[in-house]
């Protein structure tokens, strides 16, 4: 297989471990047993019969469907889309990500653009991304450095978001806790919670005592201080606590 | 079971789109907010669906399934349009605080068998599985839907997805902006 130019890789894998490695100037190569069709722009890999490693040129787009089995993406890749019923998903660097998993732990490093994750159960962590669109039924969501806007939904998992800069946030959970950390000086145009307890923490403190009671109405007031960028925050937990803090 | 009961009711074959909607987190919402609140949510979602289906040729709600709705819409593009409006309306209501939950939608296109007012067949079964792949406020469709209206809407490939009860992975797509 020749290589060098980013292209698309499509993999249908059963229950085997799959590794995709993006290498700068790397040639295409495949370690493992599978059926490969290469039409010049898209490499389609199916009938995977063992653990598989595919080395692709940096920046290549990858679409993977698997029943189960661990998936790892190493190096810098383009758009990475993964769907699996179970099996850990681990992605280092990608231009954008779309992960769908019924029951998987999902760990994502750096995503330049949109990071979209859907899981039934399993923890989701993202190191950094542009926009984040993450939902899970019963897993915990941790978004470390978000520079765009956030949509985070869980039914029973905790949601923790650290914003790199001011960006609109919608975080919703039924029974989980929500913790949102904003850069110092960010003005919050709106903060609301449909129920639960909302607590707004000023910078340099663990709590300023500005805590609403369980009726949960906290709309309208600016939660932050200073005159920095403005964002809209909608953080709703039906029974859990909502904490919006400036750091 | 006699022979007549196994064969008489299933008759006509039709081709079109089957859409399933689902309210995300409804069971937990019902648990913590009670039956009255849950009933209000169900009535609200049905109301929005009925509004979105108005004027759509041949469209109808086939049945209610707990917190979900099964809908028949003959044209695939109409189904995508209805789903987009549905998610949009629910989103607006969530934004103003008048509706507490998100909706998600799955659509498949193909042949169905009519059984009285109900519809049966693999198109229905697959559509029911597709909605499970969607996140809050998201519309996920099959390749058949994309093939039927790829010039009409924007779709992003999710990839080959293995779903319960279907032997081959399904290529699924999300409706951009959905």
């Amino acid at each position: 297989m020749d290589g060098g130019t980013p292209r698309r890789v499509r993999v249908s894998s059963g229950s085997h471990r799959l590794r995709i490695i993006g290498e700068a100037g790397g040639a295409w190569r495949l370690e493992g047993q599978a059926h490969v069709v290469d039409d010049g722009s898209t490499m389609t890999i199916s009938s995977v019969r063992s653990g598989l490693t595919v080395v692709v040129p940096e920046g290549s787009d990858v679409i993977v469907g698997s029943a189960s089995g661990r998936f790892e993406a190493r190096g810098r890749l383009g758009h990475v889309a993964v769907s699996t019923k179970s099996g850990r998903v681990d992605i280092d660097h990608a231009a954008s990500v779309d992960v769908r998993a019924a029951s998987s732990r999902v760990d994502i490093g750096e995503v330049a653009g949109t990071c979209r994750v859907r899981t039934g159960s399993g923890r989701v962590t993202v190191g950094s991304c542009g926009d984040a669109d993450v939902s899970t039924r019963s897993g915990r969501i941790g978004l470390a450095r978000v520079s765009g806007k956030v949509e985070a939904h869980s039914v029973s998992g905790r949601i923790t978001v650290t914003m790199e800069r001011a960006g609109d946030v919608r975080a919703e959970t039924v029974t989980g806790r929500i913790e949102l950390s904003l850069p110092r000086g960010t003005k919050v145009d709106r903060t609301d919670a449909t129920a639960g307890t909302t607590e707004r923490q000023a910078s340099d403190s663990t709590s300023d005592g500005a805590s609403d009671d369980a009726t949960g109405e906290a709309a309208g007031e600016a939660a932050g201080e200073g005159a920095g960028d403005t964002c809209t925050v909608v953080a709703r937990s039906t029974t859990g606590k909502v904490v919006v803090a400036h750091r | 079971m006699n022979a007549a009961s196994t064969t008489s009711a299933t008759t006509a074959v039709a081709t079109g789109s089957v859409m399933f909607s689902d309210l995300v987190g409804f069971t937990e919402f019902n648990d913590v907010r009670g039956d009255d609140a849950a009933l209000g949510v169900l009535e609200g979602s049905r109301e929005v669906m009925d509004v979105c289906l108005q004027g759509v040729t041949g469209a109808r709600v086939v049945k209610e399934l707990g917190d979900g709705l099964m809908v028949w819409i003959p044209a695939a593009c109409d189904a995508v349009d209805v789903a987009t409006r549905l998610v949009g309306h629910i989103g607006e209501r969530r934004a103003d605080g008048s509706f507490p939950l998100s909706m998600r939608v799955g659509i498949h296109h193909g042949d169905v068998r009519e059984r009285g007012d109900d519809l049966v067949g693999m198109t229905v079964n697959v559509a029911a599985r597709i909605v499970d792949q969607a996140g809050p406020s998201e519309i996920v469709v099959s390749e058949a839907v994309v093939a039927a209206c790829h010039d009409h809407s924007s779709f992003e490939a999710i990839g080959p997805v293995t779903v319960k009860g279907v032997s081959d992975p399904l290529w699924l797509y999300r409706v951009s902006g959905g």
Side-chain angles (χ1 to χ4, degrees), chain B residues 21-137:
Chain B
S21 67
D22 178 59
L23 291 169
V24 180
F26 177 80
T27 303
E28 291 76 7
F29 177 84
N30 194 164
D31 183 39
V32 298
R33 299 295 288 273
D35 290 347
D36 288 343
L39 191 59
V41 166
L42 294 180
E43 288 172 352
S45 70
R46 177 61 193 256
E47 193 178 288
V48 173
M49 178 69 85
D50 288 341
V51 168
C52 292
L53 290 176
Q54 280 176 10
V56 179
T57 306
R60 68 180 175 93
V61 173
V62 178
K63 57 187 168 186
E64 298 185 359
L65 301 151
D67 60 322
L69 295 168
M70 174 181 161
V71 177
W72 168 254
I73 302 173
C77 296
D78 285 348
V80 173
D81 283 345
V82 167
T84 303
R85 288 202 298 274
L86 183 66
V87 167
H89 283 315
I90 293 289
E92 287 168 12
R93 291 193 178 196
R94 283 173 56 230
D96 69 20
S98 62
F99 197 83
L101 299 175
S102 303
M103 184 172 276
R104 58 183 184 166
V105 177
I107 309 171
H108 188 36
H109 188 81
D111 291 344
V112 297
R113 297 289 182 113
E114 296 175 353
R115 186 172 185 269
D117 290 335
D118 201 1
L119 302 174
V120 298
M122 275 311 289
T123 298
V124 176
N125 300 342
V126 169
R129 297 298 183 200
I130 289 174
V131 71
D132 293 339
Q133 302 298 319
S137 306

Side-chain angles (χ1 to χ4, degrees), chain A residues 6-10 28 56-57 59-63 77-80 95:
Chain A
R7 292 190 298 180
R8 282 184 297 180
V9 187
R10 294 180 166 192
W28 295 78
V56 300
S60 295
D61 295 334
V62 177
I63 297 181
L77 294 167
H79 178 65
V80 178

